[in-house]
Amino acid sequence: MIKTIGLLARKPGWTHDQFMKHWVEVHAPLAHAVPGLRRYVQNHIRDERTRADIPAIDVEIDGVAELWFDDRAALEAAARTPEMQALHADGAIFIGRIRSYVVEEKTIVG
């Protein structure tokens, strides 16, 4: 499996609540149609945990999106589909900034 992780920040003029409502009610249903998408998780930011011994990274985000695919080829194939293009087009409506990573999980506990 391969996973993408996206750190998402809302567009200027959108409240956090407006962002979350659109992400859940409009954007999430579009993910069901994406071919090859094995899992989609929205991580909704509720609070920030800080540490006194390590400085925080200067970034403000509203949520973290995770998308799982069988492999890199499945991810690349999905990216070319009209369904993924529709998902991305909708994201451009409410996401103001994004940082995305393609990651491979290494389970340590569990």
Side-chain angles (χ1 to χ4, degrees):
M1 295 287 278
I2 196 158
K3 177 170 67 170
T4 67
I5 297 176
L7 309 178
L8 313 177
R10 66 186 179 269
K11 277 199 165 180
W14 284 64
T15 66
H16 179 75
D17 289 340
Q18 288 170 323
F19 175 94
M20 299 311 285
K21 182 175 174 59
H22 186 97
W23 197 21
V24 170
E25 296 179 7
V26 178
H27 194 74
L30 295 173
H32 290 281
V34 175
L37 181 59
R38 297 293 179 206
R39 187 169 187 214
Y40 174 54
V41 174
Q42 294 181 347
N43 296 279
H44 298 186
I45 304 298
R46 300 178 58 93
D47 201 358
E48 182 178 356
R49 187 179 143 240
T50 59
R51 289 181 49 169
D53 60 334
I54 302 174
I57 295 172
D58 187 24
V59 62
E60 291 187 28
I61 62 171
D62 291 282
V64 178
E66 300 177 63
L67 292 86
W68 277 261
F69 296 89
D70 287 339
D71 51 32
R72 185 74 182 229
L75 166 62
E76 292 169 359
R80 293 188 297 270
T81 66
E83 294 85 357
M84 182 66 93
Q85 292 168 7
L87 191 68
H88 285 176
D90 181 69
I93 293 170
F94 70 104
I95 300 170
R97 292 176 295 120
I98 188 170
R99 174 72 78 170
S100 294
Y101 302 94
V102 177
V103 302
E104 182 180 333
E105 287 187 350
K106 298 290 185 191
T107 302
I108 308 303
V109 176

